């Protein structure tokens, strides 16, 4: 993974990000408005996107809608730092969220952690066989797909990694910190609430009744447990 799309309307900031990432070995393409970014997404393949939210033309949330079906991981970079804004971005499918002002070193650390996480997941898929089965659910690792009762459930890259981790630890209570370390990486420096937000999002996709979850159970004061059979 080394092709990164940077979408930021402040030219000084976009240049700073691009220079920093190119020095680290990443291939960067810059767009300063949402419409240009949408055209680039349609014409080129990217491994990761860094999106500002408030943009001329299409905003970051709209661009996320273009990228999610393509399976492109997304990090929001924005001045909108309120908790409700971070939660909204994560609920819509972003993989991470960083608030301005930020240091280039922090951004690079977030990107490197995301790259390591996805690369580790790919290597694990190759080594562990094609299928993981848990009750009604089947993960096809080669295709990076989740099936429930034979029907595919669309997941973002981080959602897929999280469900895979749960299924590999089925019926076991796992601490929130353990989930964070194994899915987001030990060097993750973001908001720990990212675990809860992603689990809430996954429940909306896999549960028969998300308000009464039976596949991902909360263990109060500790973490979560995966019950693949829903019993």
């Amino acid at each position: 993974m080394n092709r990164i799309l940077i979408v930021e309307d402040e030219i000084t900031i976009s240049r700073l990000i691009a220079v920093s990432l190119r020095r680290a070995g990443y291939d960067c393409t810059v767009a300063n408005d949402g419409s240009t970014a949408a055209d680039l997404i349609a014409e080129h393949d990217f491994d990761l996107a860094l999106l500002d939210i408030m943009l001329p033309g299409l905003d970051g949330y709209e661009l996320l809608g273009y990228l999610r079906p393509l399976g492109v991981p997304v990090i929001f970079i924005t001045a909108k730092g309120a908790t409700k804004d971070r939660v909204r971005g994560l609920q819509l499918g972003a993989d991470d969220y960083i608030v301005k002002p930020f240091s280039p070193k922090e951004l690079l650390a977030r990107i490197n952690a995301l790259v390591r996480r996805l690369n580790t997941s790919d290597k694990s898929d190759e080594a562990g066989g094609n299928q993981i089965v848990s009750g009604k659910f089947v993960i096809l690792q080669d295709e990076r797909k989740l099936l429930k009762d034979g029907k595919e459930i669309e997941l973002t890259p981080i959602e897929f990694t999280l469900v895979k981790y749960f299924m590999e630890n089925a019926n076991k209570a796992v601490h929130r910190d353990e989930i964070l370390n194994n899915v987001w990486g030990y060097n993750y420096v973001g908001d720990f609430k990212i675990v809860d937000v992603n689990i809430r999002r996954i429940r909306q996709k896999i549960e028969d009744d998300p308000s009464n979850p039976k596949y991902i159970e909360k263990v109060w004061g500790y973490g979560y447990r995966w019950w693949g059979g829903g019993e």
Side-chain angles (χ1 to χ4, degrees):
M1 174 189 288
N2 61 6
R3 294 161 298 181
I4 298 180
L5 174 64
I6 301 167
V7 189
E8 167 61 62
D9 63 329
E10 296 185 51
I11 296 176
T12 302
I13 294 177
S14 65
R15 286 177 178 171
L16 176 64
I17 294 171
V19 168
S20 176
L21 297 185
R22 285 169 181 152
R23 286 176 177 170
Y26 291 103
D27 178 11
C28 299
T29 300
V30 177
N32 298 123
D33 63 81
S35 299
T36 300
D39 291 339
L40 288 169
I41 292 167
E43 296 169 2
H44 303 280
D45 294 328
F46 295 101
D47 299 305
L48 176 66
L50 308 178
L51 304 181
D52 191 6
I53 291 179
M54 296 179 287
L55 293 164
L58 301 173
D59 65 22
Y61 295 132
E62 291 174 294
L63 291 176
L64 181 62
Y66 283 72
L67 291 162
R68 280 189 59 189
L70 302 175
V72 178
V74 170
I75 297 177
F76 274 134
I77 302 175
T78 179
K80 296 172 74 66
T83 298
K84 65 179 182 180
D85 294 315
R86 294 199 299 271
V87 169
R88 182 186 177 191
L90 294 171
Q91 286 179 329
L92 289 174
D95 295 273
D96 203 352
Y97 198 112
I98 187 168
V99 178
K100 301 174 186 177
F102 57 87
S103 72
K105 287 184 178 180
E106 180 186 1
L107 176 60
L108 183 59
R110 298 280 190 100
I111 292 171
N112 287 339
L114 180 58
V115 170
R116 284 195 302 270
R117 186 162 69 244
L118 295 174
N119 286 344
T120 299
S121 177
D122 289 341
K123 290 177 181 177
S124 175
D125 291 351
E126 293 171 4
N130 185 43
Q131 292 191 4
I132 301 174
V133 180
S134 179
K136 298 181 177 183
F137 298 90
V138 177
I139 277 184
L140 303 178
Q141 299 196 89
D142 290 348
E143 302 174 53
R144 296 187 67 81
K145 290 182 179 180
L146 174 68
L147 307 180
K148 177 185 178 184
D149 292 327
K151 297 181 180 179
E152 182 179 356
I153 296 175
E154 292 188 5
L155 300 175
T156 67
I158 196 65
E159 289 170 355
F160 179 88
T161 302
L162 182 52
V163 171
K164 180 174 176 288
Y165 176 74
F166 272 132
M167 289 178 63
E168 290 172 335
N169 294 274
N171 306 325
K172 171 187 173 184
V174 287
H175 196 277
R176 183 181 282 100
D177 290 344
E178 185 179 351
I179 298 170
L180 189 66
N181 290 335
N182 282 277
V183 177
W184 278 268
Y186 285 89
N187 295 320
Y188 180 73
V189 292
D191 192 338
F192 72 91
K193 292 181 181 178
I194 195 170
V195 175
D196 304 310
V197 170
N198 275 275
I199 287 174
R200 190 179 310 125
R201 201 167 64 200
I202 291 169
R203 281 173 168 166
Q204 293 293 326
K205 297 181 178 183
I206 70 170
E207 296 284 356
D208 302 319
D209 178 6
S211 64
N212 184 31
K214 60 181 181 180
Y215 301 120
I216 302 179
E217 175 188 67
K218 186 167 187 177
V219 181
W220 290 99
Y222 190 78
Y224 295 90
R225 180 187 290 111
W226 171 272
W227 294 113
E231 300 299 333

